[in-house]
Coordinates of all heavy atoms in Angstrom, one line a residue:
H24 N 7.1 4.7 20.1 CA 7.7 4.4 21.2 C 7.9 5.5 22.3 O 8.0 5.2 23.4 CB 9.1 3.8 20.9 CG 10.1 4.7 20.2 ND1 10.0 5.1 18.9 CD2 11.1 5.5 20.6 CE1 10.9 5.9 18.6 NE2 11.6 6.2 19.7
C25 N 7.8 6.7 21.8 CA 7.8 7.9 22.8 C 6.4 8.5 22.9 O 6.1 9.0 24.0 CB 8.8 9.0 22.2 SG 10.5 8.5 22.3
H26 N 5.6 8.6 21.9 CA 4.3 9.3 21.9 C 3.2 8.4 22.2 O 2.0 8.8 22.3 CB 4.1 10.0 20.7 CG 5.0 11.2 20.4 ND1 4.9 12.3 20.9 CD2 6.1 11.3 19.6 CE1 6.0 13.2 20.7 NE2 6.7 12.5 19.8
G27 N 3.4 7.1 22.3 CA 2.5 6.1 22.6 C 1.8 5.6 21.3 O 1.7 6.4 20.2
D28 N 1.4 4.3 21.2 CA 0.7 3.9 20.1 C -0.5 4.5 19.7 O -0.8 4.7 18.5 CB 0.4 2.3 20.3 CG -0.2 1.6 19.0 OD1 0.5 1.8 18.0 OD2 -1.4 1.0 19.1
D29 N -1.2 5.2 20.7 CA -2.4 5.9 20.4 C -2.2 7.4 20.3 O -3.0 8.2 20.2 CB -3.5 5.6 21.5 CG -3.0 6.0 22.9 OD1 -1.8 6.4 23.1 OD2 -3.7 5.8 23.8
A30 N -0.9 7.8 20.4 CA -0.4 9.2 20.3 C -0.9 10.0 21.5 O -0.9 11.3 21.3 CB -0.8 9.8 19.0
H31 N -1.4 9.4 22.6 CA -1.8 10.2 23.7 C -0.6 10.6 24.7 O -0.8 11.2 25.7 CB -2.9 9.5 24.4 CG -4.2 9.7 23.9 ND1 -4.9 10.9 23.9 CD2 -5.1 8.8 23.3 CE1 -6.0 10.7 23.2 NE2 -6.1 9.5 22.9
G32 N 0.6 10.2 24.1 CA 1.8 10.7 25.0 C 2.3 9.5 25.9 O 1.5 8.7 26.3
D33 N 3.6 9.6 26.1 CA 4.2 8.7 27.1 C 5.5 9.5 27.5 O 5.3 10.4 28.3 CB 4.7 7.3 26.4 CG 5.1 6.3 27.4 OD1 4.9 6.5 28.5 OD2 5.6 5.3 27.0
E34 N 6.7 9.2 26.8 CA 7.9 10.0 27.2 C 7.6 11.4 26.4 O 8.1 12.4 26.8 CB 9.0 9.3 26.6 CG 9.5 8.0 27.5 CD 10.7 7.5 26.8 OE1 11.6 8.1 26.3 OE2 10.7 6.2 26.9
G35 N 7.0 11.3 25.2 CA 6.8 12.5 24.4 C 5.4 12.9 24.7 O 4.5 12.3 25.2
P36 N 5.1 14.1 24.2 CA 3.7 14.7 24.6 C 2.6 14.1 23.6 O 2.8 13.4 22.6 CB 3.9 16.2 24.1 CG 5.0 16.2 23.1 CD 5.8 15.1 23.5
D37 N 1.3 14.4 24.1 CA 0.2 14.0 23.3 C 0.3 14.7 22.1 O 0.5 15.9 22.0 CB -1.1 14.4 24.2 CG -2.4 13.9 23.7 OD1 -2.5 13.7 22.4 OD2 -3.4 13.7 24.5
L38 N -0.2 14.0 20.9 CA -0.2 14.6 19.6 C -1.6 14.7 19.1 O -1.8 15.1 18.0 CB 0.7 13.8 18.7 CG 2.2 13.6 19.0 CD1 2.9 12.6 18.1 CD2 2.7 15.0 19.1
H39 N -2.6 14.7 19.9 CA -3.9 15.0 19.5 C -4.2 16.5 19.4 O -3.6 17.2 20.3 CB -5.0 14.3 20.4 CG -4.9 12.7 20.2 ND1 -4.0 12.0 20.7 CD2 -5.9 12.0 19.6 CE1 -4.3 10.7 20.4 NE2 -5.3 10.8 19.6
N40 N -5.0 16.9 18.5 CA -5.6 18.4 18.5 C -4.3 19.3 18.5 O -4.3 20.3 19.1 CB -6.4 18.7 19.6 CG -7.6 17.9 19.5 OD1 -8.3 17.7 18.6 ND2 -8.0 17.3 20.7
L41 N -3.3 19.1 17.7 CA -2.1 19.9 17.5 C -2.6 21.3 17.0 O -3.3 21.4 16.1 CB -1.0 19.4 16.7 CG -0.4 18.0 17.1 CD1 0.5 17.4 16.0 CD2 0.4 18.3 18.3
R42 N -2.0 22.3 17.7 CA -2.4 23.7 17.2 C -1.1 24.4 16.6 O -1.0 25.6 16.8 CB -2.8 24.5 18.5 CG -4.1 23.9 19.1 CD -4.6 24.7 20.1 NE -5.9 24.3 20.5 CZ -6.3 24.0 21.7 NH1 -5.5 24.0 22.7 NH2 -7.6 23.6 21.9
I43 N -0.3 23.6 15.8 CA 0.7 24.3 15.1 C 0.4 23.8 13.7 O -0.2 22.8 13.4 CB 2.1 23.8 15.6 CG1 2.3 22.3 15.4 CG2 2.4 24.3 16.9 CD1 3.7 21.7 15.9
G44 N 1.0 24.6 12.7 CA 0.8 24.3 11.3 C 1.6 23.1 10.8 O 2.6 22.6 11.5
D45 N 1.2 22.7 9.7 CA 1.9 21.5 9.0 C 3.3 21.8 8.7 O 4.2 20.8 8.9 CB 1.1 21.1 7.8 CG -0.3 20.5 8.0 OD1 -0.7 20.5 9.1 OD2 -0.9 20.3 6.9
T46 N 3.7 23.0 8.4 CA 5.1 23.2 8.1 C 6.1 23.1 9.3 O 7.1 22.6 9.4 CB 5.3 24.7 7.5 OG1 4.5 24.7 6.4 CG2 6.7 25.0 7.3
H47 N 5.3 23.6 10.5 CA 6.1 23.4 11.8 C 6.2 22.0 12.2 O 7.3 21.6 12.7 CB 5.3 24.3 12.9 CG 6.1 24.4 14.2 ND1 5.5 25.0 15.2 CD2 7.4 24.1 14.4 CE1 6.4 25.2 16.2 NE2 7.6 24.6 15.7
I48 N 5.1 21.3 12.0 CA 5.2 19.8 12.3 C 6.3 19.1 11.6 O 7.1 18.4 12.0 CB 3.9 19.1 12.0 CG1 2.8 19.6 13.1 CG2 4.0 17.6 12.2 CD1 1.4 19.1 12.7
A49 N 6.4 19.4 10.2 CA 7.4 18.8 9.3 C 8.8 19.2 9.8 O 9.7 18.3 9.9 CB 7.2 19.3 7.9
L50 N 8.9 20.4 10.2 CA 10.3 21.0 10.7 C 10.7 20.2 11.9 O 11.8 19.8 12.1 CB 10.3 22.4 10.9 CG 11.4 23.0 11.4 CD1 12.6 23.0 10.4 CD2 11.2 24.5 11.8
L51 N 9.7 20.0 13.0 CA 10.0 19.3 14.2 C 10.4 17.8 13.9 O 11.4 17.3 14.5 CB 8.8 19.3 15.2 CG 8.6 20.7 15.7 CD1 7.2 20.7 16.5 CD2 9.7 21.1 16.7
I52 N 9.8 17.2 13.0 CA 10.0 15.7 12.6 C 11.4 15.7 11.9 O 12.1 14.9 12.3 CB 9.0 15.2 11.7 CG1 7.7 15.1 12.4 CG2 9.5 13.9 11.1 CD1 6.5 14.8 11.4
K53 N 11.8 16.6 11.0 CA 13.0 16.6 10.3 C 14.1 17.1 11.3 O 15.2 16.3 11.3 CB 13.0 17.7 9.2 CG 12.4 17.3 7.9 CD 12.6 18.3 6.9 CE 11.9 17.9 5.6 NZ 12.2 18.8 4.4
S54 N 14.0 18.1 12.0 CA 15.1 18.6 12.9 C 15.1 18.0 14.2 O 16.2 18.1 14.9 CB 15.0 20.1 12.9 OG 14.9 20.7 11.7
G55 N 14.1 17.7 14.8 CA 14.0 17.2 16.2 C 14.0 18.4 17.1 O 13.9 19.5 16.6
I56 N 14.0 18.1 18.5 CA 14.1 19.1 19.4 C 15.3 18.8 20.3 O 15.3 17.6 21.0 CB 12.9 19.1 20.2 CG1 11.6 19.4 19.4 CG2 12.9 20.1 21.4 CD1 10.3 19.3 20.0
K57 N 16.3 19.5 20.4 CA 17.5 19.3 21.1 C 17.3 18.8 22.4 O 16.6 19.5 23.2 CB 18.5 20.5 21.0 CG 19.8 20.2 21.6 CD 20.8 21.3 21.5 CE 22.2 20.9 22.0 NZ 23.2 21.8 21.7
G58 N 17.8 17.6 22.9 CA 17.6 17.1 24.2 C 16.3 16.5 24.4 O 16.0 15.8 25.6
D59 N 15.3 16.6 23.5 CA 14.0 16.0 23.7 C 13.5 15.0 22.7 O 12.7 14.0 23.0 CB 12.9 17.2 23.8 CG 13.0 17.9 25.1 OD1 13.3 17.3 26.2 OD2 12.6 19.1 25.1
M60 N 13.8 15.4 21.4 CA 13.3 14.5 20.2 C 14.4 14.5 19.2 O 15.0 15.4 18.9 CB 12.1 15.1 19.7 CG 11.4 14.4 18.5 SD 10.1 15.2 17.9 CE 10.1 14.9 16.3
P61 N 14.7 13.2 18.8 CA 15.7 13.0 17.7 C 15.2 13.6 16.3 O 14.1 13.7 16.1 CB 16.0 11.5 17.7 CG 14.6 10.9 18.0 CD 14.1 11.9 19.0
S62 N 16.1 13.9 15.5 CA 15.8 14.2 14.1 C 15.5 13.0 13.3 O 16.2 11.9 13.4 CB 17.1 15.0 13.5 OG 16.9 15.0 12.1
F63 N 14.6 13.1 12.4 CA 14.2 12.0 11.5 C 14.5 12.3 10.1 O 14.0 11.6 9.2 CB 12.8 11.6 11.8 CG 12.4 10.9 13.0 CD1 12.1 11.6 14.2 CD2 12.7 9.5 13.2 CE1 11.8 11.1 15.5 CE2 12.5 9.0 14.4 CZ 12.1 9.7 15.5
E64 N 15.3 13.3 9.8 CA 15.5 13.8 8.5 C 16.3 12.7 7.7 O 16.0 12.5 6.5 CB 16.4 14.9 8.5 CG 16.7 15.7 7.2 CD 17.2 17.0 7.2 OE1 18.0 17.3 8.2 OE2 17.0 17.8 6.4
K65 N 17.3 11.9 8.3 CA 18.0 10.9 7.6 C 17.1 9.6 7.5 O 17.3 8.8 6.6 CB 19.2 10.5 8.3 CG 20.1 11.7 8.2 CD 21.5 11.4 8.9 CE 22.4 12.6 8.8 NZ 23.6 12.4 9.4
K66 N 16.1 9.4 8.3 CA 15.2 8.2 8.2 C 14.0 8.3 7.3 O 13.6 7.4 6.8 CB 14.7 7.9 9.6 CG 14.0 6.6 9.7 CD 13.7 6.2 11.2 CE 13.0 4.9 11.2 NZ 12.7 4.4 12.6

């Protein structure tokens, strides 16, 4: 709903060719980004 069904971005950024590590991706999903992305740790 934020990154687009094809992950090319919409409200959130394009997620293709990410240049961050898996641990960082997991941390972002868990913790979110204040004011930009919710935390999904409870979900």
Side-chain angles (χ1 to χ4, degrees):
H24 64 279
C25 288
H26 293 283
D28 184 51
D29 59 2
H31 278 292
D33 190 17
E34 291 177 38
D37 186 333
L38 299 176
H39 288 76
N40 300 312
L41 292 174
R42 292 192 171 123
I43 59 174
D45 292 357
T46 303
H47 192 185
I48 293 170
L50 179 64
L51 290 172
I52 294 169
K53 281 184 175 184
S54 303
I56 301 170
K57 188 173 183 170
D59 287 327
M60 179 178 147
S62 166
F63 287 95
E64 185 169 30
K65 292 181 180 176
K66 184 173 183 177

